[in-house]
Each structure stands twice: as structure tokens, then as C-alpha cells.
Amino acid sequence: GRKWTKVEQLTPELSGQEVLVRGRLYTVRGKGKSAFLMIRQRTATVQAVMFADDVKVSKGMVKYACGIPKESIVDVGGILTCPEAKIESATQKDVELQVTSIRVVSRAAALPFELVDAARSDAEIAAAAEKGEVLASVSQDVRLDNRALDLRTPANQAIFKLQSAVCQLFREAMLSQDFQEIHTPKLIAGASEGGAAVFRFDYMGRPGCLAQSPQLYKQMAICADFDRVFEIGPVFRAENSYTHRHLCEFTGLDFEMAIYEHYFEVLDVIEHLFMHMFNGLATKYAAELEAVQSQYPFEPIAAKPVRLTFAEGIKLLQDDGLTDVDPLGDLNTELERRLGKIVKDKYGTDFYILHRYPMAIRPFYTMPCPDDPAYSNSFDVFIRGEEIISGAQRVHDPELLTTRAVACGIPVDTIQAYIDSFKLGASPHGGCGVGMERVVMLYCGLNNIRKTSMFPRDPKRLEP
Ligand code: 4AD
């Protein structure tokens, strides 16, 4: 059999050896009797050179290579050598492949855009502009329309590695704190978060909803004695808002746990979880972070957890000159970001928790504060001034739950089984939902959630 070598394994130790590589033709440049090819495997690249010497390589072969369309999959065989000068444009800088054979395995059609254009940073474009040069850039919609090409850039490869890492680190932190992974249904009878933002469909002749969260079912798992549960799964929101941070389908990292005294027990778990996540990303994924940074520069986050009450948050905004902020109203994106800046200046952190929210702006299942029912045992968590989590202690008394559902205009018959679960005895409990794409977006200081969703779904996009 033939011996396949990975591009990332092409180092000077293999110098003089014959190797065979399968990769994409990233770039190709012909020059007289020679051709210079850049072969790419995921993010690793190596230069391959061909010289027509009429012994092993003919002129026709060089011409053939120069005609292979970019992004085609090719098998390239040859001898690995160490060139005198480093190949700065390759990731494998110290080696070069002297090609003896090349074969097209899968030919790429005309590209909708050049991959090198999609991999360019704004800074590079601006620097070129200063010298009077115009470098191409690719719009977000064109990228998303051709996502199978767009995802091949180094920054995108890194973003989805980080996404996988966030889920892995979430799972690790949950398992290490005695949580059990569960899978709840996504085809359900009633809206889990209430409101209009629900996708409805025909379920064998009766109305069904796509789950807006695992909320009701993770709570029922608590009623069923699974003391601590978590789930990584899809969340559907028919939210007709076209913004930088809303998707119609995203991945929810949810957990729910029995609590003994106070909803701060949930906050303790969250802080432990995120310190594990931030630490893991910074220490084990430095190369990916650098790859994202080189196209989309960002400051690493300062991640020292800080807890403030909602009222304290409002006070900070008022003290900052926003005297007409409603102390019982919700924070819009602009106010959230403003508060993020204030908290950063005052406490030196990009990661903080606001808790004790006004009851009126929280979902029906949220536990009111025992000392003042105008407030609730609930919280949101922020990175760089934008919400990544919301959560709370839940109402576990079925009568109060019914009253709250009715008050919020929720048809009780659609969630009756959920309410009934609490009639058989239910522990006090709380939990939260984390927006996975938002975590990656905000950790990396990216400006749009579509960058951290592999195939984003928004009000205008159902394809690809
Ligand atoms: O704030 P949400 O709607 O809360 C819940 O779903 C509750 N059941 C959570 C709980 O356990 N009490 O959603 C939770 C998180 C938000 O903080 C946000 O990060 C993310 O999910 N999120 C979205 N992400 C992308 N697109 C959307 N349309 C999102 N809506 C919420």
C-alpha cells in the first residue's frame, strides 16, 4: 500500500523521504518550466514545487498542474526537502515537496469567491488601501450562501474548534459537579417560554410546537429525582428580529439542580463552570484563539466573576448620567453594553452576573423574591456587556405555578402535565440556559452570531 502523510506531519525529520499527500490545491503559480503549488489540509499548508526536467516531470505535467482549479482535491507524491529559505506563506515553513506525481481526485468548479479573500482581515484591507491597493473582501451573505467554502478559512476552522471546546468544557464541568446528561423532546405540545416566538406545526393532526428550551422537561426531571441534570441541544425561537445576536435555532447549554437554601447555589455552579471553560480555552486552545485573532482581532476577556443586584446595575447606569433608566424595566442592548463598560472600569471584569430582576420581566415559572414579590430569584449573566445566560429559581408550588401561568396568558391545558408533576412532591430547584453561539461570539469579541453558527438560521435564512 501507499503511505499517506498528513501535511502537519511534514517536518525536516522526513527530509529525503518519499511522501504522498491528499489535500486541496490552495494556490498555484506557474513560472516557465516550473510550478509552485500550495497544498492545504484543513489549516495546514505545504509548498509543492515542480520542475520540468524531462526525467520524472514533463513540461506537459507542469502545464496540467497549472490548469487544476483551486480548491480541487489532489493527491501529490514526491520527495520532501528542506529549502534554503523558509517558506513564509506555508504553515510547514521548513520543508518543501519536490513533486513527482499529481492526480486530481475531485475537481472544484468555478469558485464563488477566492478563499484568500475570505480569510483577509479588515486591517490588511485597510493597510493595502493606504498604499492605494484595493483588496477584495467577501460579504457575509455571500459567505453564508457558500458556507462549505467559507468554512475552510483558518479563522472559521478555529471558531468551530472553539465551539466544540465550549461544549466539551461545559460537559466536563457539569459531570465533575455530579450533573447527569439528559435529552428532552423538541416536539412538544405547548410553548415552553410562552410568548409568540414559537414555531408551530401539525403533529399528526393536532397542534405541536418546536421546543423554545428544555425548560419544562428539565424541571420535570428534577421532579423525577434526577437531582442535577444538564442538556446540550437545539433551541427554536420564531423570533422575527434580525439582529447581530438572535438566531431562530441555536444550541442551548442548559442545567437544572435541586437547591437547599438559596439560588446563589446555582450561581456558584455557573461561576465554577465558566472559570473551567475560560481556563480551558485559554490554556488548551491558544492556537485556535490566535487564528481567530489574526482575522478578527480581540482583547482576551478579563474573567473575574462579579455579582451585582439588578438594582445595583440600574444605580450604576443612573450614576453614569442615565437618570431616566426604568428601575423595573428590562435593559436593551444599548443599556447592557453601557453597563458592561461601567462594570469593566469599576471591577475590571468582562464576566458578571446581575440578579434579583424585577418579577414583571421574567417568565411565568420564575420564583418571586420571598421578601418582595416585585422582584424575583432570577439572574442574567453577561460577557462584554451582552447576555449569555438567563436563569432563576423556579416556582415548585403547583398552585402558584398555575396562577403565574394564567397571569402570563399561557393556556394552562398545554402545560398541564408539567404542572401536575409538581403535585407529587417537588424539591426547590433552579437552573439556567446558556446560549452556546453567544458564548463563542462574545468570548472572541466577534460582532455577529452568524459567525459562530455553522449553518445559521435567522428570519431571512433557511438555507443552506
Ligand atoms: O433567556 P432565554 O430565553 O432563557 C431560557 O430559555 C430559560 N429557559 C433559561 C432558564 O433555564 N431559565 O435563553 C437562554 C439563553 C440566553 O441568555 C441567550 O444566551 C440565548 O439563550 N438565546 C439566544 N441565542 C441566540 N439566538 C436567540 N434567539 C436566543 N435567545 C436566547
PDB file of all heavy atoms in Angstrom, residues 189-225:
ATOM      1  N   ALA A 189     -46.116  19.996  23.047  1.00  0.00           N
ATOM      2  CA  ALA A 189     -47.494  20.440  22.823  1.00  0.00           C
ATOM      3  C   ALA A 189     -47.692  21.937  23.050  1.00  0.00           C
ATOM      4  O   ALA A 189     -48.492  22.579  22.385  1.00  0.00           O
ATOM      5  CB  ALA A 189     -48.436  19.657  23.732  1.00  0.00           C
ATOM      6  N   GLY A 190     -46.943  22.499  24.030  1.00  0.00           N
ATOM      7  CA  GLY A 190     -47.144  23.913  24.357  1.00  0.00           C
ATOM      8  C   GLY A 190     -45.841  24.677  24.285  1.00  0.00           C
ATOM      9  O   GLY A 190     -44.763  24.099  24.281  1.00  0.00           O
ATOM     10  N   ALA A 191     -45.937  26.008  24.229  1.00  0.00           N
ATOM     11  CA  ALA A 191     -44.734  26.846  24.190  1.00  0.00           C
ATOM     12  C   ALA A 191     -44.023  26.776  25.535  1.00  0.00           C
ATOM     13  O   ALA A 191     -44.644  26.979  26.569  1.00  0.00           O
ATOM     14  CB  ALA A 191     -45.124  28.281  23.866  1.00  0.00           C
ATOM     15  N   SER A 192     -42.717  26.461  25.533  1.00  0.00           N
ATOM     16  CA  SER A 192     -42.030  26.323  26.821  1.00  0.00           C
ATOM     17  C   SER A 192     -41.686  27.668  27.446  1.00  0.00           C
ATOM     18  O   SER A 192     -41.583  27.787  28.657  1.00  0.00           O
ATOM     19  CB  SER A 192     -40.773  25.461  26.696  1.00  0.00           C
ATOM     20  OG  SER A 192     -40.189  25.547  25.434  1.00  0.00           O
ATOM     21  N   GLU A 193     -41.515  28.697  26.644  1.00  0.00           N
ATOM     22  CA  GLU A 193     -41.181  30.007  27.205  1.00  0.00           C
ATOM     23  C   GLU A 193     -42.336  30.997  27.039  1.00  0.00           C
ATOM     24  O   GLU A 193     -42.179  32.178  27.312  1.00  0.00           O
ATOM     25  CB  GLU A 193     -39.923  30.567  26.537  1.00  0.00           C
ATOM     26  CG  GLU A 193     -38.674  29.707  26.700  1.00  0.00           C
ATOM     27  CD  GLU A 193     -38.177  29.652  28.144  1.00  0.00           C
ATOM     28  OE1 GLU A 193     -38.328  30.639  28.874  1.00  0.00           O
ATOM     29  OE2 GLU A 193     -37.640  28.593  28.537  1.00  0.00           O
ATOM     30  N   GLY A 194     -43.479  30.506  26.565  1.00  0.00           N
ATOM     31  CA  GLY A 194     -44.610  31.408  26.348  1.00  0.00           C
ATOM     32  C   GLY A 194     -44.318  32.389  25.230  1.00  0.00           C
ATOM     33  O   GLY A 194     -43.331  32.264  24.520  1.00  0.00           O
ATOM     34  N   GLY A 195     -45.221  33.329  25.057  1.00  0.00           N
ATOM     35  CA  GLY A 195     -44.987  34.363  24.063  1.00  0.00           C
ATOM     36  C   GLY A 195     -45.212  33.884  22.646  1.00  0.00           C
ATOM     37  O   GLY A 195     -45.632  32.752  22.397  1.00  0.00           O
ATOM     38  N   ALA A 196     -44.932  34.748  21.711  1.00  0.00           N
ATOM     39  CA  ALA A 196     -45.253  34.486  20.312  1.00  0.00           C
ATOM     40  C   ALA A 196     -44.119  33.787  19.576  1.00  0.00           C
ATOM     41  O   ALA A 196     -44.326  33.234  18.506  1.00  0.00           O
ATOM     42  CB  ALA A 196     -45.570  35.801  19.619  1.00  0.00           C
ATOM     43  N   ALA A 197     -42.917  33.809  20.170  1.00  0.00           N
ATOM     44  CA  ALA A 197     -41.743  33.356  19.434  1.00  0.00           C
ATOM     45  C   ALA A 197     -41.648  31.835  19.390  1.00  0.00           C
ATOM     46  O   ALA A 197     -40.657  31.255  19.816  1.00  0.00           O
ATOM     47  CB  ALA A 197     -40.480  33.951  20.056  1.00  0.00           C
ATOM     48  N   VAL A 198     -42.701  31.201  18.872  1.00  0.00           N
ATOM     49  CA  VAL A 198     -42.694  29.738  18.835  1.00  0.00           C
ATOM     50  C   VAL A 198     -43.055  29.244  17.429  1.00  0.00           C
ATOM     51  O   VAL A 198     -43.925  29.811  16.772  1.00  0.00           O
ATOM     52  CB  VAL A 198     -43.660  29.168  19.912  1.00  0.00           C
ATOM     53  CG1 VAL A 198     -45.068  29.679  19.715  1.00  0.00           C
ATOM     54  CG2 VAL A 198     -43.638  27.651  19.928  1.00  0.00           C
ATOM     55  N   PHE A 199     -42.340  28.233  16.969  1.00  0.00           N
ATOM     56  CA  PHE A 199     -42.662  27.605  15.691  1.00  0.00           C
ATOM     57  C   PHE A 199     -43.742  26.567  15.944  1.00  0.00           C
ATOM     58  O   PHE A 199     -43.555  25.645  16.738  1.00  0.00           O
ATOM     59  CB  PHE A 199     -41.432  26.911  15.087  1.00  0.00           C
ATOM     60  CG  PHE A 199     -40.412  27.866  14.533  1.00  0.00           C
ATOM     61  CD1 PHE A 199     -39.221  28.097  15.207  1.00  0.00           C
ATOM     62  CD2 PHE A 199     -40.641  28.524  13.333  1.00  0.00           C
ATOM     63  CE1 PHE A 199     -38.272  28.973  14.695  1.00  0.00           C
ATOM     64  CE2 PHE A 199     -39.701  29.403  12.809  1.00  0.00           C
ATOM     65  CZ  PHE A 199     -38.519  29.624  13.495  1.00  0.00           C
ATOM     66  N   ARG A 200     -44.885  26.734  15.265  1.00  0.00           N
ATOM     67  CA  ARG A 200     -45.978  25.787  15.436  1.00  0.00           C
ATOM     68  C   ARG A 200     -46.037  24.896  14.214  1.00  0.00           C
ATOM     69  O   ARG A 200     -45.672  25.304  13.118  1.00  0.00           O
ATOM     70  CB  ARG A 200     -47.294  26.531  15.619  1.00  0.00           C
ATOM     71  CG  ARG A 200     -47.284  27.373  16.886  1.00  0.00           C
ATOM     72  CD  ARG A 200     -48.608  28.081  17.155  1.00  0.00           C
ATOM     73  NE  ARG A 200     -48.442  29.029  18.258  1.00  0.00           N
ATOM     74  CZ  ARG A 200     -48.492  28.696  19.549  1.00  0.00           C
ATOM     75  NH1 ARG A 200     -48.741  27.448  19.902  1.00  0.00           N
ATOM     76  NH2 ARG A 200     -48.296  29.602  20.482  1.00  0.00           N
ATOM     77  N   PHE A 201     -46.501  23.670  14.405  1.00  0.00           N
ATOM     78  CA  PHE A 201     -46.613  22.761  13.269  1.00  0.00           C
ATOM     79  C   PHE A 201     -47.715  21.741  13.545  1.00  0.00           C
ATOM     80  O   PHE A 201     -48.261  21.689  14.654  1.00  0.00           O
ATOM     81  CB  PHE A 201     -45.270  22.069  12.991  1.00  0.00           C
ATOM     82  CG  PHE A 201     -44.855  21.118  14.079  1.00  0.00           C
ATOM     83  CD1 PHE A 201     -45.087  19.760  13.968  1.00  0.00           C
ATOM     84  CD2 PHE A 201     -44.243  21.590  15.228  1.00  0.00           C
ATOM     85  CE1 PHE A 201     -44.728  18.882  14.985  1.00  0.00           C
ATOM     86  CE2 PHE A 201     -43.881  20.725  16.254  1.00  0.00           C
ATOM     87  CZ  PHE A 201     -44.125  19.368  16.127  1.00  0.00           C
ATOM     88  N   ASP A 202     -48.002  20.990  12.532  1.00  0.00           N
ATOM     89  CA  ASP A 202     -49.059  19.993  12.636  1.00  0.00           C
ATOM     90  C   ASP A 202     -48.460  18.666  13.103  1.00  0.00           C
ATOM     91  O   ASP A 202     -47.644  18.069  12.411  1.00  0.00           O
ATOM     92  CB  ASP A 202     -49.726  19.827  11.255  1.00  0.00           C
ATOM     93  CG  ASP A 202     -50.764  18.724  11.282  1.00  0.00           C
ATOM     94  OD1 ASP A 202     -51.870  18.989  11.772  1.00  0.00           O
ATOM     95  OD2 ASP A 202     -50.453  17.599  10.832  1.00  0.00           O
ATOM     96  N   TYR A 203     -48.850  18.249  14.303  1.00  0.00           N
ATOM     97  CA  TYR A 203     -48.333  16.990  14.846  1.00  0.00           C
ATOM     98  C   TYR A 203     -49.408  15.927  14.712  1.00  0.00           C
ATOM     99  O   TYR A 203     -50.273  15.786  15.574  1.00  0.00           O
ATOM    100  CB  TYR A 203     -47.944  17.183  16.324  1.00  0.00           C
ATOM    101  CG  TYR A 203     -47.256  15.986  16.948  1.00  0.00           C
ATOM    102  CD1 TYR A 203     -45.907  15.745  16.707  1.00  0.00           C
ATOM    103  CD2 TYR A 203     -47.946  15.111  17.767  1.00  0.00           C
ATOM    104  CE1 TYR A 203     -45.272  14.657  17.275  1.00  0.00           C
ATOM    105  CE2 TYR A 203     -47.315  14.013  18.346  1.00  0.00           C
ATOM    106  CZ  TYR A 203     -45.974  13.793  18.094  1.00  0.00           C
ATOM    107  OH  TYR A 203     -45.341  12.721  18.670  1.00  0.00           O
ATOM    108  N   MET A 204     -49.392  15.207  13.624  1.00  0.00           N
ATOM    109  CA  MET A 204     -50.365  14.136  13.372  1.00  0.00           C
ATOM    110  C   MET A 204     -51.804  14.626  13.597  1.00  0.00           C
ATOM    111  O   MET A 204     -52.594  13.952  14.270  1.00  0.00           O
ATOM    112  CB  MET A 204     -50.110  12.936  14.296  1.00  0.00           C
ATOM    113  CG  MET A 204     -48.690  12.464  14.347  1.00  0.00           C
ATOM    114  SD  MET A 204     -48.270  11.603  12.839  1.00  0.00           S
ATOM    115  CE  MET A 204     -46.528  11.364  13.109  1.00  0.00           C
ATOM    116  N   GLY A 205     -52.069  15.819  13.120  1.00  0.00           N
ATOM    117  CA  GLY A 205     -53.437  16.310  13.205  1.00  0.00           C
ATOM    118  C   GLY A 205     -53.745  17.186  14.403  1.00  0.00           C
ATOM    119  O   GLY A 205     -54.833  17.711  14.532  1.00  0.00           O
ATOM    120  N   ARG A 206     -52.778  17.353  15.314  1.00  0.00           N
ATOM    121  CA  ARG A 206     -53.023  18.325  16.380  1.00  0.00           C
ATOM    122  C   ARG A 206     -51.865  19.291  16.486  1.00  0.00           C
ATOM    123  O   ARG A 206     -50.776  19.029  15.960  1.00  0.00           O
ATOM    124  CB  ARG A 206     -53.329  17.645  17.705  1.00  0.00           C
ATOM    125  CG  ARG A 206     -52.256  16.739  18.211  1.00  0.00           C
ATOM    126  CD  ARG A 206     -52.851  15.875  19.335  1.00  0.00           C
ATOM    127  NE  ARG A 206     -52.005  14.751  19.626  1.00  0.00           N
ATOM    128  CZ  ARG A 206     -51.309  14.623  20.760  1.00  0.00           C
ATOM    129  NH1 ARG A 206     -51.388  15.536  21.696  1.00  0.00           N
ATOM    130  NH2 ARG A 206     -50.547  13.577  20.952  1.00  0.00           N
ATOM    131  N   PRO A 207     -52.093  20.440  17.142  1.00  0.00           N
ATOM    132  CA  PRO A 207     -51.034  21.453  17.130  1.00  0.00           C
ATOM    133  C   PRO A 207     -49.812  21.030  17.948  1.00  0.00           C
ATOM    134  O   PRO A 207     -49.957  20.481  19.039  1.00  0.00           O
ATOM    135  CB  PRO A 207     -51.694  22.700  17.730  1.00  0.00           C
ATOM    136  CG  PRO A 207     -52.940  22.238  18.398  1.00  0.00           C
ATOM    137  CD  PRO A 207     -53.312  20.910  17.824  1.00  0.00           C
ATOM    138  N   GLY A 208     -48.647  21.260  17.392  1.00  0.00           N
ATOM    139  CA  GLY A 208     -47.398  20.997  18.103  1.00  0.00           C
ATOM    140  C   GLY A 208     -46.519  22.236  18.055  1.00  0.00           C
ATOM    141  O   GLY A 208     -46.748  23.153  17.265  1.00  0.00           O
ATOM    142  N   CYS A 209     -45.511  22.269  18.944  1.00  0.00           N
ATOM    143  CA  CYS A 209     -44.556  23.384  18.986  1.00  0.00           C
ATOM    144  C   CYS A 209     -43.145  22.812  18.964  1.00  0.00           C
ATOM    145  O   CYS A 209     -42.900  21.752  19.546  1.00  0.00           O
ATOM    146  CB  CYS A 209     -44.677  24.166  20.292  1.00  0.00           C
ATOM    147  SG  CYS A 209     -46.247  24.978  20.556  1.00  0.00           S
ATOM    148  N   LEU A 210     -42.228  23.539  18.345  1.00  0.00           N
ATOM    149  CA  LEU A 210     -40.811  23.193  18.487  1.00  0.00           C
ATOM    150  C   LEU A 210     -40.329  23.808  19.798  1.00  0.00           C
ATOM    151  O   LEU A 210     -40.603  24.986  20.073  1.00  0.00           O
ATOM    152  CB  LEU A 210     -39.994  23.758  17.323  1.00  0.00           C
ATOM    153  CG  LEU A 210     -40.149  23.050  15.974  1.00  0.00           C
ATOM    154  CD1 LEU A 210     -39.256  23.722  14.937  1.00  0.00           C
ATOM    155  CD2 LEU A 210     -39.779  21.569  16.098  1.00  0.00           C
ATOM    156  N   ALA A 211     -39.623  23.009  20.612  1.00  0.00           N
ATOM    157  CA  ALA A 211     -39.251  23.463  21.955  1.00  0.00           C
ATOM    158  C   ALA A 211     -38.426  24.748  21.913  1.00  0.00           C
ATOM    159  O   ALA A 211     -37.424  24.830  21.212  1.00  0.00           O
ATOM    160  CB  ALA A 211     -38.491  22.357  22.679  1.00  0.00           C
ATOM    161  N   GLN A 212     -38.871  25.749  22.667  1.00  0.00           N
ATOM    162  CA  GLN A 212     -38.137  27.017  22.788  1.00  0.00           C
ATOM    163  C   GLN A 212     -37.045  26.903  23.835  1.00  0.00           C
ATOM    164  O   GLN A 212     -36.303  27.856  24.070  1.00  0.00           O
ATOM    165  CB  GLN A 212     -39.086  28.134  23.227  1.00  0.00           C
ATOM    166  CG  GLN A 212     -40.130  28.527  22.218  1.00  0.00           C
ATOM    167  CD  GLN A 212     -41.194  29.369  22.888  1.00  0.00           C
ATOM    168  OE1 GLN A 212     -41.865  28.913  23.807  1.00  0.00           O
ATOM    169  NE2 GLN A 212     -41.332  30.607  22.459  1.00  0.00           N
ATOM    170  N   SER A 213     -36.983  25.781  24.513  1.00  0.00           N
ATOM    171  CA  SER A 213     -35.964  25.495  25.532  1.00  0.00           C
ATOM    172  C   SER A 213     -36.327  24.155  26.145  1.00  0.00           C
ATOM    173  O   SER A 213     -37.455  23.689  25.986  1.00  0.00           O
ATOM    174  CB  SER A 213     -35.968  26.570  26.627  1.00  0.00           C
ATOM    175  OG  SER A 213     -37.135  26.445  27.411  1.00  0.00           O
ATOM    176  N   PRO A 214     -35.381  23.538  26.860  1.00  0.00           N
ATOM    177  CA  PRO A 214     -35.729  22.296  27.569  1.00  0.00           C
ATOM    178  C   PRO A 214     -36.384  22.593  28.925  1.00  0.00           C
ATOM    179  O   PRO A 214     -36.526  21.695  29.748  1.00  0.00           O
ATOM    180  CB  PRO A 214     -34.376  21.602  27.769  1.00  0.00           C
ATOM    181  CG  PRO A 214     -33.330  22.595  27.426  1.00  0.00           C
ATOM    182  CD  PRO A 214     -33.957  23.860  26.987  1.00  0.00           C
ATOM    183  N   GLN A 215     -36.757  23.841  29.145  1.00  0.00           N
ATOM    184  CA  GLN A 215     -37.202  24.320  30.455  1.00  0.00           C
ATOM    185  C   GLN A 215     -38.150  23.361  31.199  1.00  0.00           C
ATOM    186  O   GLN A 215     -37.862  22.893  32.285  1.00  0.00           O
ATOM    187  CB  GLN A 215     -37.884  25.684  30.285  1.00  0.00           C
ATOM    188  CG  GLN A 215     -38.271  26.339  31.595  1.00  0.00           C
ATOM    189  CD  GLN A 215     -37.060  26.649  32.441  1.00  0.00           C
ATOM    190  OE1 GLN A 215     -35.989  27.000  31.928  1.00  0.00           O
ATOM    191  NE2 GLN A 215     -37.174  26.489  33.742  1.00  0.00           N
ATOM    192  N   LEU A 216     -39.298  23.088  30.590  1.00  0.00           N
ATOM    193  CA  LEU A 216     -40.320  22.326  31.314  1.00  0.00           C
ATOM    194  C   LEU A 216     -39.851  20.913  31.617  1.00  0.00           C
ATOM    195  O   LEU A 216     -40.115  20.366  32.686  1.00  0.00           O
ATOM    196  CB  LEU A 216     -41.627  22.310  30.514  1.00  0.00           C
ATOM    197  CG  LEU A 216     -42.119  23.675  30.000  1.00  0.00           C
ATOM    198  CD1 LEU A 216     -43.482  23.535  29.327  1.00  0.00           C
ATOM    199  CD2 LEU A 216     -42.174  24.721  31.112  1.00  0.00           C
ATOM    200  N   TYR A 217     -39.117  20.339  30.681  1.00  0.00           N
ATOM    201  CA  TYR A 217     -38.724  18.942  30.835  1.00  0.00           C
ATOM    202  C   TYR A 217     -37.542  18.764  31.773  1.00  0.00           C
ATOM    203  O   TYR A 217     -37.452  17.768  32.489  1.00  0.00           O
ATOM    204  CB  TYR A 217     -38.475  18.313  29.462  1.00  0.00           C
ATOM    205  CG  TYR A 217     -39.784  18.194  28.707  1.00  0.00           C
ATOM    206  CD1 TYR A 217     -40.264  19.233  27.921  1.00  0.00           C
ATOM    207  CD2 TYR A 217     -40.575  17.061  28.866  1.00  0.00           C
ATOM    208  CE1 TYR A 217     -41.492  19.143  27.288  1.00  0.00           C
ATOM    209  CE2 TYR A 217     -41.805  16.954  28.235  1.00  0.00           C
ATOM    210  CZ  TYR A 217     -42.258  18.002  27.450  1.00  0.00           C
ATOM    211  OH  TYR A 217     -43.476  17.909  26.844  1.00  0.00           O
ATOM    212  N   LYS A 218     -36.628  19.739  31.795  1.00  0.00           N
ATOM    213  CA  LYS A 218     -35.523  19.597  32.756  1.00  0.00           C
ATOM    214  C   LYS A 218     -36.063  19.760  34.176  1.00  0.00           C
ATOM    215  O   LYS A 218     -35.600  19.109  35.104  1.00  0.00           O
ATOM    216  CB  LYS A 218     -34.360  20.546  32.437  1.00  0.00           C
ATOM    217  CG  LYS A 218     -34.635  22.024  32.557  1.00  0.00           C
ATOM    218  CD  LYS A 218     -33.391  22.869  32.213  1.00  0.00           C
ATOM    219  CE  LYS A 218     -33.701  24.353  32.356  1.00  0.00           C
ATOM    220  NZ  LYS A 218     -32.545  25.220  32.203  1.00  0.00           N
ATOM    221  N   GLN A 219     -37.104  20.582  34.344  1.00  0.00           N
ATOM    222  CA  GLN A 219     -37.726  20.699  35.666  1.00  0.00           C
ATOM    223  C   GLN A 219     -38.470  19.421  36.047  1.00  0.00           C
ATOM    224  O   GLN A 219     -38.439  18.999  37.204  1.00  0.00           O
ATOM    225  CB  GLN A 219     -38.714  21.874  35.681  1.00  0.00           C
ATOM    226  CG  GLN A 219     -38.056  23.223  35.714  1.00  0.00           C
ATOM    227  CD  GLN A 219     -39.099  24.307  35.964  1.00  0.00           C
ATOM    228  OE1 GLN A 219     -39.495  24.995  35.045  1.00  0.00           O
ATOM    229  NE2 GLN A 219     -39.565  24.433  37.194  1.00  0.00           N
ATOM    230  N   MET A 220     -39.117  18.800  35.050  1.00  0.00           N
ATOM    231  CA  MET A 220     -39.806  17.537  35.333  1.00  0.00           C
ATOM    232  C   MET A 220     -38.795  16.448  35.699  1.00  0.00           C
ATOM    233  O   MET A 220     -39.098  15.557  36.496  1.00  0.00           O
ATOM    234  CB  MET A 220     -40.669  17.124  34.134  1.00  0.00           C
ATOM    235  CG  MET A 220     -41.931  17.982  34.032  1.00  0.00           C
ATOM    236  SD  MET A 220     -42.723  17.906  32.416  1.00  0.00           S
ATOM    237  CE  MET A 220     -43.616  16.371  32.556  1.00  0.00           C
ATOM    238  N   ALA A 221     -37.586  16.525  35.135  1.00  0.00           N
ATOM    239  CA  ALA A 221     -36.535  15.578  35.516  1.00  0.00           C
ATOM    240  C   ALA A 221     -36.180  15.755  36.998  1.00  0.00           C
ATOM    241  O   ALA A 221     -35.905  14.776  37.699  1.00  0.00           O
ATOM    242  CB  ALA A 221     -35.301  15.763  34.632  1.00  0.00           C
ATOM    243  N   ILE A 222     -36.201  16.999  37.466  1.00  0.00           N
ATOM    244  CA  ILE A 222     -35.943  17.246  38.891  1.00  0.00           C
ATOM    245  C   ILE A 222     -37.065  16.620  39.726  1.00  0.00           C
ATOM    246  O   ILE A 222     -36.827  15.969  40.743  1.00  0.00           O
ATOM    247  CB  ILE A 222     -35.830  18.765  39.188  1.00  0.00           C
ATOM    248  CG1 ILE A 222     -34.666  19.392  38.413  1.00  0.00           C
ATOM    249  CG2 ILE A 222     -35.692  19.022  40.697  1.00  0.00           C
ATOM    250  CD1 ILE A 222     -33.293  18.918  38.797  1.00  0.00           C
ATOM    251  N   CYS A 223     -38.315  16.798  39.261  1.00  0.00           N
ATOM    252  CA  CYS A 223     -39.458  16.175  39.959  1.00  0.00           C
ATOM    253  C   CYS A 223     -39.314  14.652  39.985  1.00  0.00           C
ATOM    254  O   CYS A 223     -39.887  13.978  40.835  1.00  0.00           O
ATOM    255  CB  CYS A 223     -40.772  16.539  39.276  1.00  0.00           C
ATOM    256  SG  CYS A 223     -41.171  18.284  39.389  1.00  0.00           S
ATOM    257  N   ALA A 224     -38.581  14.116  39.009  1.00  0.00           N
ATOM    258  CA  ALA A 224     -38.404  12.664  38.915  1.00  0.00           C
ATOM    259  C   ALA A 224     -37.122  12.203  39.606  1.00  0.00           C
ATOM    260  O   ALA A 224     -36.596  11.129  39.297  1.00  0.00           O
ATOM    261  CB  ALA A 224     -38.391  12.246  37.452  1.00  0.00           C
ATOM    262  N   ASP A 225     -36.596  13.041  40.495  1.00  0.00           N
ATOM    263  CA  ASP A 225     -35.440  12.670  41.327  1.00  0.00           C
ATOM    264  C   ASP A 225     -34.084  12.650  40.625  1.00  0.00           C
ATOM    265  O   ASP A 225     -33.119  12.141  41.181  1.00  0.00           O
ATOM    266  CB  ASP A 225     -35.651  11.306  42.016  1.00  0.00           C
ATOM    267  CG  ASP A 225     -36.606  11.434  43.194  1.00  0.00           C
ATOM    268  OD1 ASP A 225     -36.923  12.590  43.564  1.00  0.00           O
ATOM    269  OD2 ASP A 225     -37.017  10.407  43.745  1.00  0.00           O
TER     270      ASP A 225
END
